[in-house]
Amino acid sequence: MNTLTKNITAAVILLTVIAIAFSSFTGSDTSPKTLSINALVEKINTNQVKKIIVSGNDLAITLKDNSEVNAKKEFETGLSDTLKNYGTDPVALRQVSLEVQDESGSKFWLGMLVPTLLPLAILIFFFWFMFRGAKGGQNQIMNFGRANIKLSAPGAQEKVTFNEVAGLKEVKQELVEVVDFLKNPKKFLDIGAKIPRGVLLMGAPGSGKTLLARAVAGESGVPFFYISASEFVEMFVGVGASRIRDAFTTAKKAAPAILFIDEIDAVGRQRGAGLGGGHDEREQTLNQILVEMDGFDRENRVIVLAATNRPDILDSALLRPGRFDRRVFLDLPDLNDREAILKIHARNKPLEKGVDLRKIAVRTPGFSGADLESLLNEGAIFAARHNKKVISQNDLFSSIEKVLLGPERRGKVISEREKKVTAFHEAGHALVAASLKDADPVHKISIISRGRAGGYTMKLPLEENRLKTKTQFIAEMATMMGGYASEQLIFKDISTGASNDLKEASDLSRKLVTKYGMSEVIGPMTFHNGEDAVFLGREITTEHHYSEAISAKIDSEVASFLRQANELAKKVISTRKKVLDAIAARLLEKETLEQEEFNALIKEFDLKPLAI
């Protein structure tokens, strides 16, 4: 409709411009006066006419006073006969100079054809313009069911290989088989092996799923088609299924090839889940994916790669053998992998001599590959902001805190009492962490506001453990409660600064009871269904498989763990108050304490770790 309106507007404007130009071409405000034949005869008889130029039926008359007028003679009649018929004096006529000119052919044809053909030409152009717009709209309608699939040519300049993917050794090994099949399918088919039709890449956001898919395409050297699953879903039922068919048809024509569907959970969610029932368009799109993947020929060298960070919500039909029968899980990088990722992203950045990326990797547990790339970018921005030519170690340390907590807010005005409360709060966290044997060591303490935090204490493990014990969890909760206990002891009151600590401690305590089975009262039982309530109504419709009495026990045990952690924190704070005062005083003086300075400070008090 918008295209039609634009075409009509353009045609009207064009017609107006042509009309104005034509009128200005044919008309003139300074044209000579036109005389009738009677008036011309009268002027000839009174000797007022000097010269008459005859051009066809037009008469250009010059009077004795050198003024010019126009007149017309009778059609198909000579000028002399016309003047004679109107009673012109022959003696007076002989005093007038008569001149006959041949009429211009072009002027004759313009005068005859322009008034007739110009309107017709304008109408033809107008209708052509209209039908041209309508044809474009028709083409758009015909292409509505086509997939907006993009092709990454194997010879592209920014070719990605497995060398650009740090870590993930086991994952790359899984995908090497896919590359080998695309290059040498015969050795698999001869022995009767079936290569997986679909490979599902699962992992946290930023863990490198899309990067790995590009690396598979780069290693195999085959056409790589990619599309986002959200592009299949439209408001009209059936359009998504049509686009799925088109995408798979395009990939089959270019076989051997890879079809990559990003964020497949947009169309692959469980069918019929939630209070509102299903989504017709999404379910039809999902059904079409299932049909297309099952319809692959055994020799068809097209592999479907898909990525998602929510594998728990995918429909079970997608995951059965014959569809996405190879599932590859991407873990967050460990210490060595993080160092390797940092080295890759630091290739085109000028680092100061002596910068140790290992120290950055130590301070970034839980960071994904995308987080590490962002960290180095923030470090480069920080260095450029201070007019530096190279990136220093401190720039990278500052970028870690910015990525974790947000930018510094040194300009935030706080009262002396609030600053003192923050200092003792953070000192409480640090003291409890340093006092407990199973707690993570302190790397940095600061009372400078960052993001929404008034201050922060950075604690990092000595080594990355995938298994944690109950004792370690209790130490972690006690460290969380350290600020709360410190405020109670020093100020005989509590502030809102501990709200986030209490939330984190409460969530962890509930997991100990319901997920990890660490409650001695309830015993080795779990009450965690392993699924998040991603669909509206899942929590409402789920039937709890435990009684109200057990529910009350769960609440009681959660509170018991929190009280145990709080009592442990209070014990540490009260028995080592001098250390707490020293840490808080140093924070009020310097605002920030690094690990080395903090360790030197508590060493003066011969601090020995306590066992829980």
Side-chain angles (χ1 to χ4, degrees):
M1 195 64 179
N2 291 335
T3 304
L4 181 61
T5 304
K6 291 179 180 178
N7 291 341
I8 293 175
T9 304
V12 170
I13 294 173
L14 186 62
L15 286 172
T16 305
V17 170
I18 292 174
I20 293 173
F22 184 71
S23 62
S24 63
F25 176 76
T26 56
S28 177
D29 294 337
T30 58
S31 58
K33 182 180 178 181
T34 302
L35 297 178
S36 65
I37 296 179
N38 290 332
L40 175 61
V41 170
E42 182 179 350
K43 289 186 178 295
I44 292 175
N45 291 337
T46 56
N47 293 321
Q48 297 182 39
V49 178
K50 179 180 180 182
K51 183 178 180 181
I52 299 176
I53 299 175
V54 183
S55 178
N57 295 320
D58 296 326
L59 305 177
I61 304 163
T62 304
L63 301 178
K64 292 287 183 71
D65 57 3
N66 291 324
S67 62
E68 294 182 352
V69 294
N70 291 332
K72 284 187 177 291
K73 70 179 185 62
E74 293 177 335
F75 289 97
E76 299 181 357
T77 304
L79 176 60
S80 300
D81 294 337
T82 300
L83 295 177
K84 183 178 179 181
N85 293 337
Y86 279 84
T88 304
D89 185 358
V91 177
L93 182 59
R94 282 194 291 269
Q95 303 297 321
V96 177
S97 174
L98 293 177
E99 182 178 340
V100 179
Q101 293 182 350
D102 292 333
E103 188 175 10
S104 172
S106 59
K107 186 175 180 181
F108 171 77
W109 287 111
L110 282 175
M112 292 292 294
L113 298 179
V114 168
T116 304
L117 297 181
L118 184 60
L120 182 60
I122 292 173
L123 284 175
I124 293 173
F125 176 78
F126 176 76
F127 282 110
W128 171 82
F129 204 71
M130 295 280 289
F131 285 122
R132 176 171 168 266
K135 184 178 179 181
Q138 184 180 7
N139 289 337
Q140 290 180 2
I141 293 173
M142 296 300 292
N143 292 331
F144 196 59
R146 297 288 298 276
N148 186 25
I149 192 170
K150 304 173 185 67
L151 171 64
S152 177
Q157 292 182 353
E158 297 183 0
K159 183 179 178 180
V160 179
T161 64
F162 285 145
N163 293 330
E164 276 72 45
V165 183
L168 302 173
K169 295 178 182 177
E170 295 81 5
V171 173
K172 287 192 285 189
Q173 182 59 40
E174 289 280 337
L175 296 176
V176 162
E177 294 180 6
V178 175
V179 174
D180 196 14
F181 171 76
L182 291 170
K183 287 183 175 180
N184 309 298
K186 191 173 184 300
K187 73 175 184 179
F188 291 92
L189 297 175
D190 288 346
I191 202 170
K194 294 181 180 180
I195 199 69
R197 295 171 179 172
V199 180
L200 182 63
L201 304 176
M202 305 179 295
S207 56
K209 299 182 292 297
T210 305
L211 181 65
L212 265 175
R214 290 176 179 166
V216 171
E219 291 285 345
S220 59
V222 301
F224 177 71
F225 298 94
Y226 61 98
I227 190 170
S228 172
S230 61
E231 296 184 41
F232 292 123
V233 181
E234 286 284 351
M235 64 180 293
F236 304 108
V237 176
V239 173
S242 174
R243 291 180 178 177
I244 288 288
R245 287 192 295 271
D246 181 69
F248 276 82
T249 301
T250 304
K252 289 176 184 178
K253 289 179 180 178
I258 295 173
L259 175 60
F260 177 58
I261 305 176
D262 201 7
E263 304 296 345
I264 195 172
D265 49 273
V267 294
R269 293 192 174 197
Q270 295 177 19
R271 289 168 287 187
L275 288 177
H279 184 292
D280 288 341
E281 167 62 359
R282 186 167 58 230
E283 290 187 5
Q284 288 202 19
T285 305
L286 172 59
N287 291 336
Q288 190 62 42
I289 292 178
L290 301 179
V291 170
E292 291 290 342
M293 293 194 68
D294 242 359
F296 275 177
D297 298 329
R298 181 169 172 267
E299 293 81 11
N300 200 324
R301 293 157 61 192
V302 176
I303 291 179
V304 183
L305 292 181
T308 180
N309 50 39
R310 296 304 309 270
D312 55 308
I313 67 174
L314 294 179
D315 194 271
S316 57
L318 265 180
L319 306 178
R320 76 157 177 82
R323 283 156 186 163
F324 288 104
D325 39 15
R326 177 165 297 191
R327 294 182 285 278
V328 181
F329 187 79
L330 282 68
D331 283 319
L332 290 174
D334 59 18
L335 177 60
N336 294 326
D337 291 344
R338 291 198 299 274
E339 183 180 8
I341 292 171
L342 286 169
K343 288 179 179 178
I344 289 176
H345 292 305
R347 287 175 181 172
N348 61 343
K349 292 180 174 59
L351 299 181
E352 189 177 64
K353 187 176 181 181
V355 169
D356 189 355
L357 293 179
R358 181 78 176 184
K359 292 182 179 179
I360 306 301
V362 169
R363 289 200 175 194
T364 52
F367 274 46
S368 66
D371 292 331
L372 296 172
E373 182 181 12
S374 175
L375 184 153
L376 283 173
N377 185 61
E378 289 292 342
I381 292 173
F382 191 83
R385 188 184 302 138
H386 293 82
N387 299 318
K388 297 180 181 178
K389 300 297 183 183
V390 292
I391 304 170
S392 67
Q393 189 85 44
N394 286 332
D395 293 333
L396 296 178
F397 283 153
S398 298
S399 67
I400 295 174
E401 296 161 25
K402 183 175 181 181
V403 171
L404 284 173
L405 301 169
E408 282 189 354
R409 297 193 295 165
R410 289 184 176 272
K412 183 181 179 182
V413 179
I414 60 174
S415 64
E416 287 298 322
R417 174 173 173 77
E418 187 175 343
K419 188 175 181 180
K420 186 177 180 181
V421 170
T422 304
F424 274 96
H425 183 98
E426 298 304 329
H429 286 308
L431 178 58
V432 174
S435 300
L436 298 180
K437 181 181 178 180
D438 294 293
D440 295 331
V442 176
H443 278 247
K444 185 174 183 178
I445 321 168
S446 176
I447 59 173
I448 299 172
S449 295
R450 273 190 179 272
R452 299 175 63 182
Y456 58 95
T457 301
M458 183 183 294
K459 309 179 301 300
L460 299 172
L462 291 173
E463 56 184 16
E464 296 187 35
N465 298 320
R466 299 194 180 276
L467 296 177
K468 296 187 73 171
T469 65
K470 179 180 176 180
T471 305
Q472 289 174 318
F473 281 126
I474 296 295
E476 185 177 348
M477 283 195 294
T479 303
M480 294 177 185
M481 304 294 285
Y484 182 84
S486 176
E487 289 184 30
Q488 279 185 314
L489 179 66
I490 301 299
F491 302 102
K492 309 301 180 185
D493 200 358
I494 53 177
S495 70
T496 59
S499 60
N500 189 64
D501 299 327
L502 295 176
K503 178 183 178 301
E504 295 292 331
S506 299
D507 291 344
L508 180 55
S509 178
R510 186 163 294 276
K511 286 182 179 179
L512 295 184
V513 178
T514 62
K515 188 175 182 179
Y516 304 136
M518 293 182 176
S519 169
E520 294 181 1
V521 173
I522 296 178
M525 296 178 63
T526 64
F527 307 94
H528 184 77
N529 59 13
E531 298 176 344
D532 296 325
V534 294
F535 295 113
L536 176 63
R538 172 172 284 179
E539 284 189 330
I540 299 174
T541 58
T542 299
E543 181 180 356
H544 295 292
H545 50 277
Y546 52 88
S547 65
E548 292 296 329
I550 293 294
S551 180
K553 281 188 177 182
I554 291 173
D555 293 340
S556 176
E557 281 299 286
V558 170
S560 175
F561 275 121
L562 289 173
R563 283 194 299 270
Q564 183 181 348
N566 189 41
E567 291 300 323
L568 180 58
K570 287 168 67 175
K571 177 183 176 181
V572 171
I573 297 295
S574 59
T575 55
R576 299 180 172 181
K577 186 174 179 301
K578 289 184 179 180
V579 186
L580 179 73
D581 293 337
I583 297 172
R586 189 68 62 87
L587 281 173
L588 289 171
E589 176 189 350
K590 301 191 67 175
E591 294 187 332
T592 299
L593 290 178
E594 292 289 346
Q595 183 180 26
E596 295 78 10
E597 190 174 1
F598 173 74
N599 290 338
L601 176 61
I602 62 175
K603 191 175 181 181
E604 298 175 5
F605 295 89
D606 194 23
L607 196 67
K608 295 181 180 180
L610 301 175
I612 298 176

